[in-house]
Amino acid sequence: MRKPLMVMAAAAFAAIGFTAPAQATVTDVDMPFGMAYGNSTTSGTIHFTDGYTASVSGAVHAASGARQVCVQGVNNTAATDTVCSPWAYEGGPNQPLSASLRIAAPGGVQRVYIWMVDGGNALLAQEYCTRSGCTRQF
């Protein structure tokens, strides 16, 4: 009985001591983000680590009314707590956003959602970011 070529090749590699190539390692990535609603803006950077966390730093500027920016990390069905900036008000200073998001699951934080709300908590703008880029949802 003849053995298929792939079975013989696998047996030969095993006998010689070759193994399958290792999985590609995940490296740290810095992903910039930014959104605007009229002249109100938010921008910053998400630092995806090679571990379980993503760190977010940024600011929100209110051109009218009150504005706040919030973030949440997601990995499949697991999610972090929501972290929000202080309120920024028209004519006032930009308000900082600083968050460390952690999910203790394979791959850690895979996606970070960012959204801007007004003083009545109406959603004004939203996007999500991964290690590959950001996508504006509206």
Side-chain angles (χ1 to χ4, degrees), residues 50-53 74-79 102-110:
D50 61 356
Y52 296 129
T53 64
V74 175
N75 178 333
N76 293 317
T77 59
R102 178 178 164 79
I103 297 177
V109 175
Q110 295 291 304

Side-chain angles (χ1 to χ4, degrees), residues 52-56 71-73 80-81 83 99-103 109 112:
Y52 296 129
T53 64
S55 300
V56 182
V71 296
Q72 183 179 44
T80 67
D81 289 338
V83 178
S100 181
L101 309 172
R102 178 178 164 79
I103 297 177
V109 175
V112 175

Side-chain angles (χ1 to χ4, degrees), residues 21-126:
Q23 291 280 0
T25 57
V26 176
T27 58
D28 289 10
V29 173
D30 287 327
M31 184 59 56
F33 68 88
M35 295 180 293
Y37 180 80
N39 289 327
S40 295
T41 60
T42 184
S43 62
T45 302
I46 302 166
H47 179 75
F48 289 95
T49 69
D50 61 356
Y52 296 129
T53 64
S55 300
V56 182
S57 61
V60 60
H61 167 78
S64 61
R67 303 289 186 258
Q68 185 179 53
V69 63
C70 300
V71 296
Q72 183 179 44
V74 175
N75 178 333
N76 293 317
T77 59
T80 67
D81 289 338
T82 297
V83 178
C84 297
S85 70
W87 287 97
Y89 296 96
E90 178 181 1
N94 294 350
Q95 292 297 315
L97 171 67
S98 181
S100 181
L101 309 172
R102 178 178 164 79
I103 297 177
V109 175
Q110 295 291 304
R111 185 178 282 202
V112 175
Y113 285 90
I114 307 141
W115 61 94
M116 183 190 302
V117 296
D118 68 11
N121 282 322
L123 187 59
L124 303 175
Q126 181 174 311

